[in-house]
Amino acid sequence: MRSRGKRYSFGPAVLARVALVPIAAAVVLMTLFIALGIWQLNRAEEKQAILDSYARRSQQPPVALALPLVNAEHWRYRHVEITGRFDSDHQFLLDNQVRAGQAGYHVLTPLRVNGGKGLLADRGWIPSGANRGRLPEIPVTDARIALRGTIYVPYEQGFSLGGMDSGERVWPRRVQFIDFKQMGARLDLALVGASLR
């Protein structure tokens, strides 16, 4: 007894339909990889432009800084001199700053300049200590002081999952990120959108 079944033939038309899916996938993936490569090249150019700007501006001599900053971008990475008084009652501790494998804070102290205007001075890193519940005491002078440093202007606000701080009215105040408007509101001070390092 002979079995009568369908005859299958694999001609060029059938093979073309079968091969169409992998070819389409390859074209889509190739287009995606080319677009990602172009994006990486553009990012490399942006980063090189930042490094070039830093090198050029950091070699210029210090200039006197007057507040408010009209164009903060113009001041990025510039060496400046400014005179004012540290707000010795209020300091921010930028949390989760690691140095040589040890957790700590960047100390951000408001510098009151004139007419209710101010600038955050990044005074450096300190270790957090074994007891994170107890914030370190950081001495600061309240005398009029002349500072020299580099202006840091952030490129954009980073991503955050929560608020800047816990909202407690204790000083020094631990913060998770820098938000110049919120910090200025906590201080009742018009902070410029830059810090002095």
Side-chain angles (χ1 to χ4, degrees):
M1 187 166 154
R2 294 175 81 190
S3 157
R4 294 189 182 200
K6 289 185 178 180
R7 291 184 155 224
Y8 294 100
S9 66
F10 294 99
V14 173
L15 289 175
R17 282 195 304 265
V18 171
L20 186 61
V21 172
I23 290 171
V27 168
V28 167
L29 287 174
M30 193 178 341
T31 304
L32 176 66
F33 292 145
I34 289 171
L36 287 173
I38 291 170
W39 175 76
Q40 283 285 7
L41 291 172
N42 288 338
R43 289 288 295 151
E45 287 177 14
E46 289 174 11
K47 288 184 179 185
Q48 188 60 50
I50 290 170
L51 291 173
D52 293 344
S53 173
Y54 176 77
R56 186 177 56 255
R57 290 182 179 182
S58 64
Q59 293 174 0
Q60 296 174 343
V63 295
L65 181 67
L67 299 184
L69 293 179
V70 176
N71 181 4
E73 301 287 324
H74 171 75
W75 292 93
R76 182 179 277 135
Y77 306 128
R78 289 294 309 269
H79 289 301
V80 297
E81 297 173 337
I82 190 166
T83 303
R85 291 183 190 279
F86 281 131
D87 185 344
S88 57
D89 294 330
H90 304 100
Q91 295 190 80
F92 295 99
L93 300 176
L94 183 58
D95 202 1
N96 302 314
Q97 305 299 304
V98 178
R99 179 172 289 177
Q102 185 175 9
Y105 306 102
H106 270 272
V107 179
L108 305 170
T109 306
L111 181 71
R112 294 182 180 267
V113 179
N114 57 7
K117 295 176 181 61
L119 177 74
L120 284 180
D122 185 339
R123 298 188 334 156
W125 180 89
I126 58 168
S128 60
N131 183 2
R132 283 191 43 87
R134 185 169 180 232
L135 294 176
E137 292 188 26
I138 304 115
V140 62
T141 180
D142 56 1
R144 192 157 179 80
I145 189 168
L147 296 177
R148 272 190 179 181
T150 303
I151 292 293
Y152 173 72
V153 180
Y155 282 93
E156 57 189 37
Q157 178 70 35
F159 178 75
S160 64
L161 293 174
M164 180 188 76
D165 60 14
S166 64
E168 294 180 47
R169 300 213 173 258
V170 295
W171 295 98
R173 184 173 289 211
R174 185 181 306 161
V175 295
Q176 300 305 313
F177 56 87
I178 296 174
D179 185 317
F180 294 107
K181 287 186 181 179
Q182 286 187 49
M183 292 170 140
R186 307 271 195 284
L187 298 165
D188 195 26
L189 180 67
L191 287 176
V192 298
S195 59
L196 181 69
R197 291 182 170 178

